[in-house]
């Protein structure tokens, strides 16, 4: 066989050429594919980065609702406030102002009260905590309603919507901006036109609860309630915690260190467990191990501290005395003239040192030879009708006197006809009040406290019922009512006893279960006996049946036997946390923690009022019926009034001492509304 060598070589060359061409094509395709993949990856990367930047920008965006505040109609409304708790002082347009628990107080040249601004003048609330002058405006921080500005004539409100913040704790002005520290939204800045969050948006600034702010040289120091000290420096965040030497993560105050203590650092940092100095390298040195320091101020080259336990102390003199310096140690550290045991905030300005206490404001000239303070605006403390602001119980006694229970200050008996406080009772047993009720049959006042039930008779004598002495299931009594559990359905109205006083049972709901006292004998039950929960908040009787509100549903009892528990899953109950109950002619009105108000009819049918008034928080035991209207106290919507005959709801909020209504009672002419910050009296005629 003859082989054509030339053909073979030619074919081999053609195959090699085709292979080379294919290889080049494949390589070109691979390169193109790789290029496309890389380009796609880069595009995806930059798209994700763009999305993240947009999300971050959206998260960092500040939205503030600005409202011109106007005085509401006060027809038929009278408010009673405790203004003796002073929190801040500032001079604005030649007038000195005090931020107090009872509004903004303007002083005259002699230091007396010239005028008081309250919710009646348009303020969103009366509980004010901080002041600062910036851009020809007086800025005011509130306890729960954001920030306010005042131009000397009118008020403007600033509500932080995004991110949401309401509790303004610190206002610190510089030449270019106002720092706004909040306990629920972190740190904001305001230049007079725009709100920003530059510092809170810095990487590592994961704080939210700001207690104090100090711009110092090129840094910004930010104290927090729970996570120590943050320092903004050259566009990045540094942090100092207990690991670096802070006595506690709870920072209460910041100030520049006086020269007398400069060896301890340039910044003084107060915590609830002591005060330290901080230098430029963030090194910590102890200045004082005094606990519970509320504030710091520098006056006459001395570092002063306000104390939660009462009074102020000169930390410079204390430090020098500890180091053995006789000259400095001879400086007195005590402060005569201040009320004993009254928590104090110390402030220095315009050559004066101020001590702002829960019992008024006091001042001394920093050049004074003695350490004593002089009282300012003495009427704030001397003429106060209310012992405190946080009211948790209201009831009238048989003499027509109003009893007022406080969150942590016992009870007052007052006469609103003469605006006179008749008696204040506060001791180890009568302090934290949960509820007040009057027993008209035996003419006695029932006081439910966190330490038992205290009963005052008409002669002022008292009886104490406790777990140890009287067999209560728990000392933390949340509610007390009187029930005639043998009466027919409808004989009870809002927990009052039947007219003949027979078979009357004292019903106590507590944090540990239920106690009924009949003819002096206690009988108790808890979750072991079938209650939905041990945490009970309210009770109401309808004939022989007793209804009890818990944090796990509405419980119905017959005697001491649980016969039914209403929950969201097996009924039309709006929320299983039942906070308040009232019996109105056999219909049970039910207040809940988040679902608003429901009604359980005698027929067993349920009625929800959510379509009419929405869903909201009903404050604990803040439902009261006066025979015509049902009054409901809410967590943030003020007072709701329901005419049970006309089936009509009315909201009352403008001018109230606070939008958080906690206690309600009434007489023939007025309804009395106890709030988080004071008392309001409303004429029933204006309710329609």
């Amino acid at each position: 066989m003859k082989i054509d060598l030339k053909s073979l070589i030619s074919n081999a060359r053609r195959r090699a050429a085709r292979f080379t061409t294919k290889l080049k094509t494949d390589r070109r395709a691979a390169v193109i594919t790789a290029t496309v993949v890389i380009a796609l990856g880069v595009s995806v990367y930059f798209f994700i980065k763009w999305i993240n930047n947009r999300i971050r920008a959206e998260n960092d965006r500040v939205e503030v609702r600005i409202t011109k505040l106007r005085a509401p109609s006060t027809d038929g409304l009278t408010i009673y406030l405790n203004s003796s708790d002073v929190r801040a002082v500032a001079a604005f347009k030649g007038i000195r102002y005090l931020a107090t628990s009872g509004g903004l107080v303007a002083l005259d040249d002699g230091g007396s009260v010239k005028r008081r601004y309250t919710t009646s003048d348009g303020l969103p609330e009366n509980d004010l905590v901080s002041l600062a002058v910036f851009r020809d405006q007086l800025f005011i921080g509130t306890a729960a309603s954001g920030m306010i500005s005042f131009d000397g004539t009118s008020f403007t409100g600033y509500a932080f919507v995004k991110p949401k913040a309401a509790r303004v704790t610190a206002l610190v002005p510089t030449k270019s901006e106002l720092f706004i520290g909040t306990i629920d939204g972190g740190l904001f800045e305001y230049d007079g036109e725009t709100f920003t969050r530059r510092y809170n948006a810095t990487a590592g600034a994961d704080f939210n609860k700001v207690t104090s702010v100090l711009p110092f040289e090129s840094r910004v120091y930010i104290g927090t309630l729970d996570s120590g000290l943050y320092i903004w420096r050259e566009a990045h965040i540094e942090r100092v915690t207990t690991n670096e030497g802070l006595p506690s993560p709870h920072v209460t105050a910041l100030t520049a260190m006086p020269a007398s203590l400069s060896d301890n650092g340039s910044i003084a940092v107060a915590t609830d467990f002591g005060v330290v100095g901080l230098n430029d390298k963030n090194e910590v040195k102890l200045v004082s191990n005094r606990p519970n320091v509320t504030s710091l101020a520098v006056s006459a080259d001395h570092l002063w501290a306000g104390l939660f336990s009462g009074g102020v102390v000169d930390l410079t003199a204390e430090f020098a005395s500890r180091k053995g310096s006789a000259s400095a140690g001879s400086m007195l550290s005590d402060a005569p003239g201040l009320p004993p045991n009254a928590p104090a905030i110390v402030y220095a300005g315009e050559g004066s040192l101020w001590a702002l206490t829960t019992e008024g404001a006091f001042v001394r000239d920093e050049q004074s030879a003695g350490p004593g303070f002089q009282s300012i605006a003495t009427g704030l403390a001397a003429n106060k009708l209310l012992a405190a602001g946080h009211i948790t119980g209201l009831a009238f006694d048989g003499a027509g006197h109003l009893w007022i229970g406080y969150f942590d200050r016992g009870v007052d008996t007052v006469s609103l006809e003469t605006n006179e406080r008749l008696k204040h009772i506060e001791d180890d047993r009568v302090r934290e009040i949960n509820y007040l009720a009057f027993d008209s049959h035996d003419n006695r006042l029932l006081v439910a406290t966190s330490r038992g039930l205290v009963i005052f008779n008409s002669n002022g004598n008292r009886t104490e019922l406790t777990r140890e002495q009287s067999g209560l299931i728990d000392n933390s009594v949340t509610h007390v009512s009187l029930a005639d559990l043998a009466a027919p359905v409808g004989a009870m109205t809002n927990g009052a006893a039947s007219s003949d006083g027979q078979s009357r049972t004292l019903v106590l709901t507590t944090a540990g279960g239920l106690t009924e006292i009949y003819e002096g004998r206690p009988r108790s039950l808890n979750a072991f006996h079938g209650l939905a929960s041990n945490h009970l908040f309210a009770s109401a009787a309808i004939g022989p049946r007793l209804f009890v509100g818990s944090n796990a549903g509405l419980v119905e009892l017959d005697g001491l036997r649980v016969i039914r528990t209403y929950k969201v899953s097996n009924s039309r109950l709006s929320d299983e946390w039942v906070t308040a109950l009232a019996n109105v002619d056999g219909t049970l009105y039910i207040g809940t923690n988040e679902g608003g108000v429901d009604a359980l009819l005698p027929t067993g049918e349920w009625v929800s009022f959510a379509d009419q008034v929405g869903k909201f928080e009903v404050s604990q035991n803040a439902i009261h019926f006066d025979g015509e209207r049902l009054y409901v106290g809410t967590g943030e919507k003020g007072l709701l009034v329901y005419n049970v005959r006309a089936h009509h709801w009315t909201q009352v909020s403008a001018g109230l001492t606070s939008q958080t209504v906690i206690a309600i009672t009434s007489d023939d002419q007025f309804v009395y509304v106890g709030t988080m910050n004071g008392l309001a009296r409303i004429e029933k005629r204006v309710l329609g």
Side-chain angles (χ1 to χ4, degrees), residues 100-363:
T100 79
S101 55
L104 182 68
V105 174
L107 304 180
D108 61 20
D109 293 338
S112 298
V113 176
K114 179 180 180 180
R115 182 173 177 182
R116 188 178 310 181
Y117 299 90
T118 68
T119 47
S120 297
D121 302 289
L123 293 181
E125 73 166 297
N126 300 300
D127 200 1
L128 312 181
V129 296
S130 52
L131 295 173
V133 178
F134 177 70
R135 298 286 169 87
D136 203 33
Q137 298 274 325
L138 178 65
F139 285 87
I140 307 162
T142 74
S145 301
M147 186 174 70
I148 308 165
S149 68
F150 180 53
D151 62 8
T153 303
S154 60
F155 295 95
T156 301
Y158 300 83
F160 296 94
V161 178
K162 182 179 174 52
K164 187 174 178 59
R167 301 169 61 188
V168 178
T169 51
L171 293 173
V172 181
T174 68
K175 291 182 179 180
S176 59
E177 61 187 354
L178 176 68
F179 287 94
I180 306 161
T182 73
I183 203 70
D184 52 356
L187 182 63
F188 299 81
E189 308 87 44
Y190 180 54
D191 64 5
E193 295 182 358
T194 305
F195 288 89
T196 59
R197 280 168 62 84
R198 298 193 315 278
Y199 301 97
N200 233 133
T202 305
D206 55 346
F207 55 82
N208 190 55
K209 300 177 180 180
V210 176
T211 57
S212 50
V213 182
L214 176 65
F216 183 77
E217 297 179 346
S218 61
R219 304 181 183 185
V220 178
Y221 295 83
I222 304 156
T224 70
L225 180 66
D226 57 354
S227 52
L229 178 68
Y230 290 79
I231 306 167
W232 184 90
R233 178 184 183 184
E234 298 176 352
H236 75 279
I237 289 289
E238 300 172 357
R239 185 179 174 193
V240 179
T241 68
T242 52
N243 293 332
E244 288 74 36
L246 279 188
S248 163
H250 312 299
V251 177
T252 58
L254 299 166
T255 191
M257 192 77 81
S260 59
L261 291 174
S262 59
D263 290 344
N264 291 76
S266 57
I267 302 298
V269 183
T271 75
D272 57 349
F273 281 145
V275 179
V276 298
L278 193 70
N279 63 18
D280 292 343
K281 297 179 181 180
N282 294 344
E283 296 171 334
V284 174
K285 287 187 178 181
L286 182 67
V287 174
S288 173
N289 57 8
R290 276 186 177 269
N292 298 323
V293 173
T294 64
S295 49
L296 295 172
V298 174
S299 178
D301 198 35
H302 280 244
L303 180 63
W304 292 78
L307 304 177
F308 183 78
S309 55
V312 300
V313 62
D314 182 351
L315 295 182
T316 300
E318 183 183 78
F319 182 82
S321 177
R322 193 166 65 247
K323 294 297 183 181
S325 171
S327 59
S330 64
M331 296 283 293
L332 293 177
S333 296
D334 59 352
L338 298 182
N341 305 320
I345 298 171
V346 66
Y347 168 81
E350 301 178 0
S352 297
L353 181 67
W354 290 77
L356 311 175
T357 80
T358 56
E359 298 296 330
F362 302 81
V363 68

Side-chain angles (χ1 to χ4, degrees), residues 375-659:
S375 178
I376 296 293
T378 55
L380 293 179
N383 300 326
K384 64 180 182 180
L385 179 70
L386 307 180
H390 192 166
I391 296 173
T392 52
L394 292 172
F396 279 99
D397 64 15
H401 299 142
L402 181 64
W403 287 63
I404 305 172
Y406 299 104
F407 175 72
D408 59 356
R409 288 297 311 274
V411 295
D412 283 335
T413 306
V414 303
S415 170
L416 295 182
E417 293 182 356
T418 60
N419 283 338
E420 178 186 7
R421 188 199 300 172
L422 305 176
K423 184 186 301 183
H424 177 71
I425 305 170
E426 181 181 356
D427 53 38
D428 290 341
R429 188 69 65 186
V430 183
R431 176 166 292 129
E432 298 164 351
I433 309 303
N434 292 321
Y435 187 73
L436 299 178
F438 180 62
D439 176 7
S440 59
H441 181 269
D442 290 333
N443 196 19
R444 57 181 183 168
L445 205 291
L446 310 176
V447 183
T449 82
S450 64
R451 302 184 182 186
L453 180 71
V454 182
I455 303 173
F456 292 91
N457 65 21
S458 58
N459 297 323
N461 297 325
R462 59 193 266 181
T463 302
E464 298 176 358
L465 304 182
T466 66
R467 180 176 182 176
E468 297 79 9
Q469 299 172 352
S470 310
L472 304 188
I473 195 168
D474 193 277
N475 278 337
S476 183
V477 181
T478 55
H479 181 262
V480 56
S481 63
L482 289 161
D484 182 355
L485 298 180
V489 174
M492 290 285 300
T493 300
N494 200 32
S498 61
S499 59
D500 61 6
Q502 299 299 314
S503 304
R504 301 168 70 251
T505 301
L506 197 62
V507 180
L508 288 74
T509 58
T510 79
L514 179 72
T515 295
E516 294 182 1
I517 301 178
Y518 177 73
E519 294 183 347
R521 296 190 301 271
R523 301 181 299 172
S524 299
L525 70 161
N526 57 20
F528 178 79
H529 304 97
L531 290 180
S533 169
N534 288 333
H535 296 279
L536 310 180
F537 303 100
S539 65
I542 300 179
R545 295 180 298 160
L546 180 67
F547 292 87
V548 177
S550 78
N551 62 355
L554 174 68
V555 183
E556 181 180 353
L557 300 98
D558 187 354
L560 283 181
R561 183 172 60 91
V562 175
I563 60 174
R564 187 178 291 106
T565 297
Y566 298 94
K567 292 180 172 289
V568 173
S569 60
N570 64 11
S571 71
R572 293 183 59 192
L573 183 65
S574 295
D575 181 41
E576 290 180 359
W577 191 326
V578 177
T579 57
L581 297 170
N583 170 24
V584 179
D585 300 328
T587 294
L588 183 69
Y589 287 86
I590 305 155
T592 68
N593 187 55
E594 294 183 348
V597 180
D598 298 324
L600 179 59
L601 304 182
T603 59
E605 298 175 277
W606 286 83
V607 176
S608 172
F609 298 101
D611 291 342
Q612 301 176 49
V613 288
K615 294 187 176 184
F616 50 89
E617 175 190 352
V618 177
S619 301
Q620 185 173 318
N621 289 311
I623 289 185
H624 173 77
F625 181 61
D626 68 355
E628 180 181 2
R629 302 179 184 90
L630 186 77
Y631 303 93
V632 180
T634 75
E636 57 182 20
K637 298 180 66 171
L639 179 71
L640 293 176
V641 184
Y642 182 60
N643 189 310
V644 298
R645 311 291 183 246
H647 306 289
H648 175 70
W649 286 94
T650 302
Q651 182 180 6
V652 180
S653 58
L656 291 182
T657 55
S658 168
Q659 296 305 300

Side-chain angles (χ1 to χ4, degrees), residues 4-80:
D4 188 347
L5 185 60
K6 291 182 178 180
S7 295
L8 289 174
I9 294 172
S10 177
N11 290 335
R13 285 176 176 174
R14 284 196 297 271
R15 285 195 296 270
R18 286 196 298 270
F19 178 78
T20 302
T21 301
K22 184 177 184 300
L23 184 61
K24 289 181 179 179
T25 302
D26 291 345
R27 285 178 177 175
R28 189 180 299 114
V31 170
I32 293 173
T33 301
T35 302
V36 170
V37 170
I38 292 172
L40 182 61
V42 171
S43 299
V44 170
Y45 169 78
F46 282 106
F47 178 74
I48 293 174
K49 186 175 181 180
W50 178 78
I51 290 293
N52 288 336
N53 288 338
R54 288 291 301 271
I55 293 173
R56 187 178 298 109
E58 179 64 21
N59 289 338
D60 294 338
R61 183 173 64 87
V62 178
E63 181 180 341
V64 179
R65 185 173 62 250
I66 303 175
T67 308
K68 290 292 183 182
L69 302 176
R70 293 177 174 82
S73 172
T74 57
D75 180 32
L77 175 68
T78 304
I79 63 174
Y80 304 87

